[in-house]
Amino acid sequence: MDAHIPILQRFSLSGKTALVTGGASGIGRGFCHALGEAGAKVAVADVNQEAAETAVEELRAKGMTAMALCTDVTDPQAVETMVQAVVSEWGELTIGVNNAGMGVWSDAMEMPYALWQKISKLNLDAVFLCAREEAKVMAEAGYGKIINTASMSAHISNTPQKQCCYNATKAGVLHLTRSLAAEWAPLGIRVNSISPGYTKTMLVDKLLETPEGKSMLPRWLEKIPMGRMAQVEDLQGAAVYLAAEVSDYMTGNDLIIDGGYCCW
Ligand SMILES: NC(=O)c1ccc[n+]([C@@H]2O[C@H](COP(=O)([O-])OP(=O)(O)OC[C@H]3O[C@@H](n4cnc5c(N)ncnc54)[C@H](O)[C@@H]3O)[C@@H](O)[C@H]2O)c1
């Protein structure tokens, strides 16, 4: 690192290429905008093709270079194709944001095993599949930044909703992050995660539409020291920081952005 480069320049992603899974909506979409605004070319990968194309139109309208990739990240072959598509279009992949995920509330004793497997495949297995393919490209370049979306639920068992599978898979993301960070540090690949607290997105809005969800909101707010849910904008700075050279000495770590929830 050149100590003479001004600090804000070290946050720049100019000339870098980024891939964001689950990039078509919510937190992932916010990450796409943040990385693009910081200068990166952005590949928006999502199982929802139409939404991915809409996100790409938004990015292009801001003058960014972007492409949409319709990918189911739980499919190992599709993940390989997704990463190769970025490399064949832009020649490299510097930043991989493994963000696609979903939540589910279920009483543990009533939870069908098939549902457990579905959530685990997306929230944990797919993070591994994406990181593995991204790392192959980054290892060749001797440099890369992987950012996984975990959750405050990786750290605590938040209440009153019952979500043992979500909590367990997100805790898995944290330890996968640490394990890959240690294994790949000699290759120049940094692996970190971001743990959002309750954030206003489609995922949460859907849950809050249910009668159970409606009754939860006041109880959640009561437990957030900042007294409000996060907006996607509250998380964007962390993604740029972890993607940029300014954080090159950081690996295997997690940034919790939860309005203080985990302080209790
Ligand atoms: N919203 C929150 O409060 C919150 C809190 C902590 C962590 N998170 C995590 O943040 C991430 C994003 O959540 P969000 O709230 O933005 O959700 P969201 O539902 O708004 O967005 C998720 C995106 O992932 C895509 N997706 C789903 N399955 C996919 C698959 N198999 N392949 C590719 N894409 C797929 C969806 O189409 C969607 O665009 C998730 O990992 C979630 O667990 C969310």
Side-chain angles (χ1 to χ4, degrees), residues 13 37 39 78 212 221 237:
L13 301 178
E37 285 174 18
E212 198 189 2
L221 294 177

Side-chain angles (χ1 to χ4, degrees), residues 227-260:
R228 66 168 177 90
M229 287 171 66
Q231 299 290 336
V232 165
E233 289 74 14
D234 292 312
L235 311 174
Q236 289 177 313
V240 173
Y241 170 69
L242 291 177
E245 285 179 15
V246 73
S247 65
D248 272 357
Y249 193 57
M250 179 169 170
T251 198
N253 231 311
D254 182 55
L255 293 176
I256 306 177
I257 305 170
D258 65 350

Side-chain angles (χ1 to χ4, degrees), residues 21-29 31 45-48 51 71-75 98-103 122-123 126 149-153 166 170 194-204 206 220 229 232 235:
T21 74
S25 81
I27 293 171
R29 182 169 151 269
F31 286 164
D46 206 286
V47 73
N48 183 338
T71 310
D72 177 353
V73 291
T74 63
D75 173 353
N98 304 317
N99 165 80
M102 65 160 58
L122 179 61
N123 287 5
T149 303
S151 168
M152 72 172 176
S153 309
Y166 185 78
K170 292 297 184 177
I194 295 173
S195 281
Y198 295 120
T199 308
K200 280 284 294 166
T201 66
M202 198 170 76
L203 182 148
V204 165
K206 262 194 234 152
W220 287 359
M229 287 171 66
V232 165
L235 311 174

Side-chain angles (χ1 to χ4, degrees), residues 152-173:
M152 72 172 176
S153 309
H155 296 267
I156 42 103
S157 177
N158 42 320
T159 56
Q161 66 274 25
K162 294 169 184 164
Q163 49 175 34
C164 69
C165 182
Y166 185 78
N167 296 352
T169 56
K170 292 297 184 177
V173 169

Side-chain angles (χ1 to χ4, degrees), residues 21-56:
T21 74
S25 81
I27 293 171
R29 182 169 151 269
F31 286 164
C32 290
H33 278 266
L35 299 173
E37 285 174 18
K41 300 184 196 92
V42 182
V44 180
D46 206 286
V47 73
N48 183 338
Q49 181 167 6
E50 204 184 321
E53 280 164 6
T54 304
V56 164

Side-chain angles (χ1 to χ4, degrees), residues 102 105 201-211 213-214:
M102 65 160 58
W105 294 341
T201 66
M202 198 170 76
L203 182 148
V204 165
D205 283 344
K206 262 194 234 152
L207 292 171
L208 290 177
E209 273 166 21
T210 63
K214 281 196 184 101

